[in-house]
Amino acid sequence: QVQLVESGGGLVRPGGSLRLSCAASGTILNIDTMAWYRQVPGKQRVLVASITSGGSTQYADSVKDRVTISRDNAKNTTFLVMDNLKPEDTAVYYCYADRVVMALGGNRIITVVDRWGQGTQVTVSP
């Protein structure tokens, strides 16, 4: 139904920048919220930033001065730009989409909730 595919992760030195992308595929009419979470081994997955279809954003306190989330509603894509990266930003970053309205055959419409991407590794190291 809905697939989220992340890209843009990798190895970056402290102080560097990275841009993550996430594209949602499917016969999508609207996505209410798109977000980025991150997870390190042994810890819970935590919110980094979120953005609604109307453009309202929310950031974790730990990143709010260094991260910008945006989205292209026409392309069902969200982006996460991270600046001044620190070693503690090292994690697997997951794309998330909630309340994805999709068109099915025969004029049927469904709403899919809580969809996750497969994750992309970000490593910040000298």
Side-chain angles (χ1 to χ4, degrees), residues 27-30 100-112:
T27 52
I28 298 171
L29 301 177
N30 184 63
V100 182
V101 182
M102 301 187 67
L104 302 181
N107 295 321
R108 290 180 297 157
I109 294 176
I110 64 169
T111 300
V112 179

Side-chain angles (χ1 to χ4, degrees), residues 9-13 18 85-87 89-91 93 121-125:
L11 174 65
V12 62
R13 298 189 186 280
L18 212 57
L85 282 161
K86 304 175 181 181
D89 294 317
T90 296
Y93 285 71
Q121 177 70 46
V122 172
T123 302
V124 184
S125 179

Side-chain angles (χ1 to χ4, degrees), residues 5-118:
V5 179
E6 302 105 331
S7 60
L11 174 65
V12 62
R13 298 189 186 280
S17 298
L18 212 57
R19 181 177 187 253
L20 305 181
S21 301
C22 171
S25 62
T27 52
I28 298 171
L29 301 177
N30 184 63
I31 302 175
D32 181 50
T33 299
M34 301 189 80
W36 290 92
Y37 285 73
R38 68 186 183 186
Q39 188 172 26
V40 298
K43 293 192 175 181
Q44 285 188 327
R45 195 172 295 186
V46 296
L47 176 70
V48 177
S50 66
I51 185 168
T52 67
S53 59
S56 296
T57 57
Q58 180 181 355
Y59 294 95
D61 287 341
S62 60
V63 301
K64 63 182 178 181
D65 294 329
R66 302 183 291 116
V67 165
T68 302
I69 189 170
S70 62
R71 63 188 283 177
D72 183 335
N73 290 332
K75 297 182 178 180
N76 300 313
T77 301
T78 184
F79 307 96
L80 187 73
V81 175
M82 299 185 290
D83 297 315
N84 191 22
L85 282 161
K86 304 175 181 181
E88 51 263 41
D89 294 317
T90 296
V92 177
Y93 285 71
Y94 294 92
C95 180
Y96 170 83
D98 192 27
R99 299 193 62 78
V100 182
V101 182
M102 301 187 67
L104 302 181
N107 295 321
R108 290 180 297 157
I109 294 176
I110 64 169
T111 300
V112 179
V113 299
D114 292 338
R115 301 301 299 178
W116 293 92
Q118 80 286 354

